[in-house]
Amino acid sequence: MMWDEAEKLSFLGMEVYSFGLYCAIGAALGIMVLFLLLLREKFKKGTAPLCALCMILGAFIGSRLLFCLLDQSLGGMMPLKGFFLMTAGGYSMAGALMGGVLGAALAGKISGQKAMRLSELAVPAMLLFVACERLGEGTLSEFGVSRPLLGDLLKGSFLAVEGEYDWYLATYLLESFAALLLSLIVIHDLGKKRRPGDSLLFSLILYGGVQTVMESLRYDRHMSFSFVGAQHVMAIAMLGVAVIILAARVMKKHRALAIFSIASIPLVAGLGIGLEFAIDRTEINRYLLYLVYVLLISVPMYLGIRLRKAG
């Protein structure tokens, strides 16, 4: 039995949910890229299907688990029995990404191969899934969109969607394009000789920084604590963890750079909260505030990339 209110379409003679089809296409594209990357690096025969299976299971479990633990729509953690109500909705993209990468590492352990390298190769595949899933969010009512747009600059453009009373920024389109671009950048980075784990940390820096801004733009109240969302916190945490690990590596040889980089994380997080308050509670021009936001987030991103190079 299908939900009447959900958007559906006909696919191969069957009626399917539009959002589900986007997710399925994203998973298929991700698996194709994973197969090609593993083929390029000459992993053992059978590694690709094992890795794909572990990634899918890990992403599903991680997505559902993180949502049930951190969503506040019921005033706190979801009751344990709610964890297993899969058709009741509620999933986390941050959980899916972490679960997918951990699933790839598990496949490496099971097959006796390099778990870290498989985790790194899983990243562009997961990002392709993200790119398609974000497009699918456009089929969901009032999901993946911003606060009401102020002014007429973007109203009526392809980047805006019209609601019942206002126009909203189609944040899901920006997120989709960003995920696709990041996937290509990571694939390029994987082709170079790197220290094990460097490409994974690079991915955390890029995705964590970009998604921090995107989560600020989103205002669909998904997994939200007041004016800051749980996945917003997860995004800045990804960036922060990567910078701290890279700083620890070079602390002896580049002490000043490492200390400044570590200090930038709480400083940027604190200023970011102030900007979030200004965006949500004041009449200051939002375009100006987001310009400051982007410049602010770019500081630890730049420092993280410098740390990786220094290491």
Side-chain angles (χ1 to χ4, degrees):
M1 187 178 189
M2 302 184 77
W3 291 332
D4 293 333
E5 63 271 19
E7 184 175 319
K8 296 176 281 290
L9 53 79
S10 179
F11 179 72
L12 299 178
M14 299 181 294
E15 190 177 42
V16 298
Y17 293 121
S18 300
F19 177 71
L21 181 60
Y22 277 100
C23 291
I25 292 172
L29 287 175
I31 290 171
M32 287 173 57
V33 167
L34 178 69
F35 270 63
L36 291 173
L37 290 173
L38 294 184
L39 182 64
R40 182 182 74 178
E41 303 213 1
K42 297 180 174 59
F43 275 81
K44 292 179 184 177
K45 187 177 180 180
T47 302
L50 172 64
C51 189
L53 176 61
C54 290
M55 284 174 62
I56 291 171
L57 291 176
F60 180 79
I61 294 170
S63 179
R64 181 64 179 169
L65 183 62
L66 198 64
F67 174 84
C68 292
L69 291 173
L70 298 182
D71 178 61
Q72 296 291 306
S73 59
L74 299 178
M77 186 181 77
M78 185 176 289
L80 186 60
K81 64 179 181 180
F83 285 41
F84 304 98
L85 299 176
M86 304 303 179
T87 59
Y91 294 91
S92 160
M93 181 57 78
L97 289 171
M98 290 188 289
V101 171
L102 289 174
L106 176 62
K109 292 291 186 182
I110 293 172
S111 62
Q113 298 178 92
K114 297 176 181 178
M116 179 59 74
R117 188 57 177 172
L118 276 174
S119 295
E120 292 180 321
L121 294 172
V123 172
M126 291 300 302
L127 287 172
L128 277 178
F129 167 75
V130 174
C132 292
E133 186 279 341
R134 295 303 191 195
L135 288 179
E137 290 182 8
T139 68
L140 305 177
S141 177
E142 298 182 358
F143 197 74
V145 296
S146 71
R147 296 170 176 81
L149 289 173
L150 301 177
D152 298 325
L153 180 61
L154 295 175
K155 290 180 181 179
S157 72
F158 75 98
L159 286 174
V161 293
E162 186 176 10
E164 188 174 354
Y165 302 106
D166 287 294
W167 284 85
Y168 306 89
L169 177 67
T171 309
Y172 61 87
L173 287 179
L174 298 179
E175 290 178 288
S176 178
F177 176 75
L180 176 60
L181 182 60
L182 292 183
S183 180
L184 296 174
I185 292 172
V186 173
I187 288 173
H188 175 72
D189 191 69
L190 287 168
K192 297 183 178 181
K193 191 173 182 179
R194 302 285 187 192
R195 180 175 176 171
D198 267 12
S199 288
L200 183 58
L201 292 171
F202 182 56
S203 303
L204 288 174
I205 290 169
L206 293 181
Y207 182 80
V210 171
Q211 194 59 32
T212 296
V213 178
M214 295 297 177
E215 290 293 340
S216 177
L217 286 170
R218 293 175 70 102
Y219 199 65
D220 50 27
R221 315 307 293 168
H222 181 60
M223 297 181 66
S224 179
F225 308 120
S226 184
F227 56 86
V228 177
Q231 297 198 107
H232 196 167
V233 175
M234 295 298 297
I236 191 66
M238 289 179 188
L239 172 60
V241 166
V243 170
I244 291 169
I245 291 173
L246 288 166
R249 284 184 179 180
V250 303
M251 183 63 76
K252 290 183 180 180
K253 292 185 178 180
H254 303 276
R255 188 175 182 84
L257 175 61
I259 292 175
F260 182 66
S261 299
I262 293 173
S264 73
I265 298 301
L267 179 61
V268 167
L271 292 173
I273 291 174
L275 280 173
E276 287 294 336
F277 184 86
I279 291 166
D280 192 65
R281 307 289 172 87
T282 72
E283 298 300 320
I284 300 173
N285 188 294
R286 285 183 190 162
Y287 295 105
L288 176 61
L289 289 174
Y290 274 110
L291 175 61
V292 175
Y293 209 130
V294 170
L295 293 174
L296 184 66
I297 292 298
S298 68
V299 172
M301 292 178 71
Y302 168 74
L303 291 172
I305 292 170
R306 275 200 62 188
L307 287 168
R308 189 178 78 140
K309 187 176 180 180

